[in-house]
Amino acid sequence: MTNSRMGISARVSIITALGLLSLPVWSQKFPNLPISAEQNATAQKVAQGGVPLSELVPNAPDTYVVKSGNTLWAISKLYLRSPWRWPELWGMNLEEIRNPHLIFPGQTLYLLKRDGRAMLTGTPPTSAPSGPGGAPAAASEAGRLETRSSAPETVRLSPRIRFENPRSPLSTVQVSAIEPFLAEPLIVEENELRHAPRIVAAGENRVIIGRGDRVYARGPAGAPLLDDTQKIKQFRIFRNAKALRDPETSEVLGYEAEFLGKAALARSEGSTEIAAAGRKVGTARVPATIDVTLAKSEILVGDRMVAEPEREFLNFVPRAPGKQVTARIVSIYGSTTVVNATENEVVVLNRGRRDGIESGHVLAILKDGAQLVDTTDPARPLIKLPDERSGLLMVFRVYEKLSYGLILDTSEPVGVGDRLISPE
């Protein structure tokens, strides 16, 4: 079976532009890869041209072997001054691989420079060897095949093993840094947790609850927890939804709930009759039985449960916003005691869906310039130094008024209040 029918084999080693992958085997194994119309158009536009040489970093390697643990972002930084522009550098050879996410460890990349532009390819930049008399080797071989075909010949076939690359494609960024946020509803409305199911008791009168413990919970009025195949059985446990305020306007943009762990519904909530001296005296509620399957922090009676959302597979395409964006860092996720964040840590932005923010948007981090007195001037005026760019972050989860961003790189610690702007 040919390569075109079997998919992308291990020997195909080329990084390409954004485009839709039509091969069913890959669409099944890697579903929902984000391919935007904008990114596809960009790739098509530069499919033959590459990027200007001025966009390359001074020490961009002529060849590079993709390593296990690499990310698309890390490789882009090896070549481009603006790593989020990687679709332009890799927007070529659309006929060989139609999805930029299908990039594997072991592939060799070759940097080609021609007419003031650059592009990446998986084909070594060498000319084809010549055959006898200066004819191309391929043509000479074709001639020999044609000559041989004129006489009947018995061809004996032997079985061969065709190797298909079993490895997973590279992710855009370090997915492990953001994976917990992809399914946890961390931003909630003011009353959302207040009306969520709550833990009302723990087995064996436990005060602190951990993984493997059994607890009991009740749903809100009119919505008991039921062990029914049509109902949700998996939950996330939260506490203390703290208000997140815009540092510029003081508007409450949302509430961040503290994620504690996961739980599974084992038995439905119900009711039972209460008897005394052999006589019925009333009816009591029987809470649902819940098993704690994960405990990130200690769980207490009174903590709330939120239905676990459907799992998503996302492989982000970093890109600059389509318009100028200004934002501020509202919070650093992880602990109330964390003051500064560094590379691969998560922060909260005061911009969201209503502001046109999308997953994959890359923003530049600015450090506020210091305010000081000019001691060289006899009048000693107050001056403010210019804001300096200190790094980049990528938005990966968007809510209506807030977003979560992953710090991709930074030259110094990032703090609450730091400004964010479009990178170009």
Side-chain angles (χ1 to χ4, degrees), residues 105-187:
Q107 292 183 337
T108 301
L109 313 179
Y110 300 92
L111 180 64
L112 302 183
K113 302 176 184 178
R114 184 182 301 123
D115 300 327
R117 303 188 73 82
M119 63 173 61
L120 282 175
T121 177
T123 304
T126 55
S127 58
S130 298
S140 299
E141 178 65 16
R144 288 195 296 271
L145 288 174
E146 184 177 358
T147 301
R148 285 199 302 265
S149 65
S150 61
E153 183 177 355
T154 301
V155 178
R156 178 170 296 176
L157 299 178
S158 58
R160 292 184 300 170
I161 297 175
R162 185 179 184 280
F163 176 70
E164 289 292 328
N165 196 331
R167 295 165 294 182
S168 297
L170 299 189
S171 61
T172 304
V173 296
Q174 292 291 351
V175 176
S176 60
I178 61 177
E179 189 173 18
F181 298 87
L182 301 182
E184 296 172 14
L186 298 174
I187 301 298

Side-chain angles (χ1 to χ4, degrees), residues 57-117:
V57 298
N59 57 343
D62 292 329
T63 61
Y64 181 77
V65 179
V66 180
K67 301 177 180 62
S68 179
N70 277 157
T71 62
L72 300 182
W73 182 265
I75 295 175
S76 297
K77 287 175 60 178
L78 291 175
Y79 288 95
L80 294 173
R81 298 179 186 273
S82 305
W84 59 90
R85 295 185 62 180
W86 60 266
E88 300 174 38
L89 179 65
W90 299 348
M92 61 205 70
N93 298 304
L94 299 182
E95 296 306 315
E96 295 196 42
I97 299 180
R98 294 183 175 274
N99 195 310
H101 299 298
L102 300 183
I103 300 164
F104 297 87
Q107 292 183 337
T108 301
L109 313 179
Y110 300 92
L111 180 64
L112 302 183
K113 302 176 184 178
R114 184 182 301 123
D115 300 327
R117 303 188 73 82

Side-chain angles (χ1 to χ4, degrees), residues 15-323:
I15 290 185
T16 67
L18 291 171
L20 293 176
L21 180 68
S22 59
L23 302 175
V25 62
W26 288 107
S27 62
Q28 292 171 14
K29 187 172 182 181
F30 304 108
N32 303 324
L33 293 174
I35 305 296
S36 70
E38 177 186 359
Q39 293 296 305
N40 188 50
T42 298
Q44 294 285 349
K45 181 179 178 180
V46 297
Q48 301 300 325
V51 297
L53 293 179
S54 59
E55 276 296 314
L56 294 180
V57 298
N59 57 343
D62 292 329
T63 61
Y64 181 77
V65 179
V66 180
K67 301 177 180 62
S68 179
N70 277 157
T71 62
L72 300 182
W73 182 265
I75 295 175
S76 297
K77 287 175 60 178
L78 291 175
Y79 288 95
L80 294 173
R81 298 179 186 273
S82 305
W84 59 90
R85 295 185 62 180
W86 60 266
E88 300 174 38
L89 179 65
W90 299 348
M92 61 205 70
N93 298 304
L94 299 182
E95 296 306 315
E96 295 196 42
I97 299 180
R98 294 183 175 274
N99 195 310
H101 299 298
L102 300 183
I103 300 164
F104 297 87
Q107 292 183 337
T108 301
L109 313 179
Y110 300 92
L111 180 64
L112 302 183
K113 302 176 184 178
R114 184 182 301 123
D115 300 327
R117 303 188 73 82
M119 63 173 61
L120 282 175
T121 177
T123 304
T126 55
S127 58
S130 298
S140 299
E141 178 65 16
R144 288 195 296 271
L145 288 174
E146 184 177 358
T147 301
R148 285 199 302 265
S149 65
S150 61
E153 183 177 355
T154 301
V155 178
R156 178 170 296 176
L157 299 178
S158 58
R160 292 184 300 170
I161 297 175
R162 185 179 184 280
F163 176 70
E164 289 292 328
N165 196 331
R167 295 165 294 182
S168 297
L170 299 189
S171 61
T172 304
V173 296
Q174 292 291 351
V175 176
S176 60
I178 61 177
E179 189 173 18
F181 298 87
L182 301 182
E184 296 172 14
L186 298 174
I187 301 298
V188 297
E189 296 298 328
E190 181 177 7
N191 295 321
E192 187 173 342
L193 283 187
R194 190 175 303 168
H195 299 295
R198 66 191 184 281
I199 296 174
V200 298
E204 301 178 354
N205 295 318
R206 293 180 181 272
V207 176
I208 298 177
I209 303 160
R211 181 177 179 274
D213 288 341
R214 173 157 283 188
V215 298
Y216 304 95
R218 291 182 59 190
L225 297 171
L226 300 177
D227 184 14
D228 186 309
T229 55
Q230 302 302 316
K231 302 293 182 180
I232 296 172
K233 295 184 180 180
Q234 304 296 324
F235 295 88
R236 303 272 170 137
I237 306 172
F238 291 94
R239 181 193 305 147
N240 299 338
K242 68 176 182 179
L244 296 178
R245 294 183 178 274
D246 191 311
E248 298 173 336
T249 66
S250 296
E251 176 191 2
V252 175
L253 302 175
Y255 293 81
E256 184 178 61
E258 179 187 359
F259 172 70
L260 304 176
K262 299 181 182 181
L265 175 61
R267 189 164 52 237
S268 294
E269 187 175 350
S271 61
T272 187
E273 294 181 353
I274 300 176
R279 295 189 339 175
K280 176 183 175 181
V281 296
T283 303
R285 296 288 299 272
V286 177
T289 302
I290 305 292
D291 291 328
V292 177
T293 58
L294 171 70
K296 183 178 179 181
S297 300
E298 63 181 23
I299 299 169
L300 305 174
V301 170
D303 288 336
R304 301 284 176 161
M305 303 193 311
V306 176
E308 184 168 10
E310 186 176 337
R311 185 68 174 173
E312 292 181 272
F313 178 88
L314 295 175
N315 197 344
F316 300 94
V317 180
R319 61 195 185 280
K323 62 179 182 179

Side-chain angles (χ1 to χ4, degrees), residues 343-357:
E343 188 172 325
N344 286 330
E345 291 190 317
V346 172
V347 296
V348 185
L349 289 60
N350 67 337
R351 296 288 183 266
R353 198 175 295 114
R354 69 175 184 178
D355 308 295
I357 298 297

